[in-house]
Amino acid sequence: MLTHREDYGGGVQIPHLGTVTKTAEPGWYRSAPIPVPVLGGGPCRIRVDGYDDDPAQEDFHAAIRNFLALDRSAFAVAAPSIYAYYRDVADDLLAAGDDEWHVEISGPDEVLAHVQLGNEPIVVRDPYDDRRVYVSIGGECAWEPEHGLQIVFRDGARVTKVGPYDGHLTNSAAYADDELDGVVYHSFR
């Protein structure tokens, strides 16, 4: 049962996003640019995947509302995990004698200064494990230009996964290991 309404212009109304338009990917929508406080307040297009066929669209609405209510302090909680990801990459680069991409970051308080987050968060339901709705953000980081950084918010409310961008919503899914449920950063070392 669809709870959104069709707009006369062919768009769809999703609460908290307004009119969204279909993208080239089947089942995906994209919002018009809207300010997203957690990402600095600049205009972002939010992508929503799997909304039409979802039997509990209100979970999407809640995740979007939660995410739009966050401010930059939400990343302060994630900074130690992001720093741990940095340390793993830096240690591997230095051990291999490859310092081309090495950047010196002295601690969690400095790590976010070396991150540039994307401006197109994705809202999607986990199709396999816990069936929750997540908001995933990709970005670039100075220490890992190839794999970048992914930050995932469970229910749009709190960071529950950070690490290289792999498209997975949880570390338990990324590593096919239920013991990693709830682990924000899982070292690849």
Side-chain angles (χ1 to χ4, degrees):
M1 175 175 122
L2 298 179
T3 60
H4 65 268
R5 68 174 178 80
E6 295 292 328
D7 183 84
Y8 290 112
V12 170
Q13 293 288 320
I14 295 180
H16 315 292
L17 296 182
T19 301
V20 296
T21 55
K22 286 191 179 260
T23 68
E25 298 92 351
W28 288 69
Y29 290 102
R30 179 180 291 133
S31 74
I34 60 172
V36 177
V38 73
L39 296 176
C44 296
R45 292 181 176 270
I46 297 184
R47 293 174 56 136
V48 181
D49 180 20
Y51 181 78
D52 281 341
D53 297 327
D54 197 284
Q57 292 173 335
E58 59 278 354
D59 295 348
F60 281 82
H61 307 162
I64 293 165
R65 180 186 66 245
N66 292 340
F67 182 70
L68 292 175
L70 295 174
D71 62 24
R72 297 287 289 178
S73 67
F75 291 124
V77 174
S81 295
I82 297 169
Y83 182 72
Y85 170 42
Y86 156 75
R87 284 291 352 140
D88 281 351
V89 172
D91 290 349
D92 278 0
L93 288 174
L94 293 175
D98 181 4
D99 63 356
E100 177 183 357
W101 294 108
H102 180 70
V103 58
E104 190 60 41
I105 303 173
S106 65
D109 293 342
E110 292 182 15
V111 74
L112 293 173
H114 300 274
V115 171
Q116 182 178 352
L117 294 171
N119 62 355
E120 199 163 284
I122 299 170
V123 183
V124 61
R125 184 179 296 281
D126 182 343
Y128 307 110
D129 294 326
D130 66 9
R131 305 281 304 148
R132 308 280 287 267
V133 174
Y134 290 84
V135 179
S136 177
I137 303 168
E140 297 178 13
C141 53
W143 63 88
E144 178 46 288
E146 184 178 346
H147 298 106
L149 174 68
Q150 180 181 15
I151 301 176
V152 182
F153 296 78
R154 180 178 285 149
D155 302 321
R158 64 183 182 89
V159 174
T160 55
K161 179 181 183 275
V162 301
Y165 195 96
D166 61 13
H168 292 284
L169 300 172
T170 64
N171 278 306
S172 60
Y175 294 94
D177 184 349
D178 289 341
E179 290 184 22
L180 296 176
D181 186 37
V183 172
V184 175
Y185 174 69
H186 178 66
S187 177
F188 54 83
R189 303 185 86 217

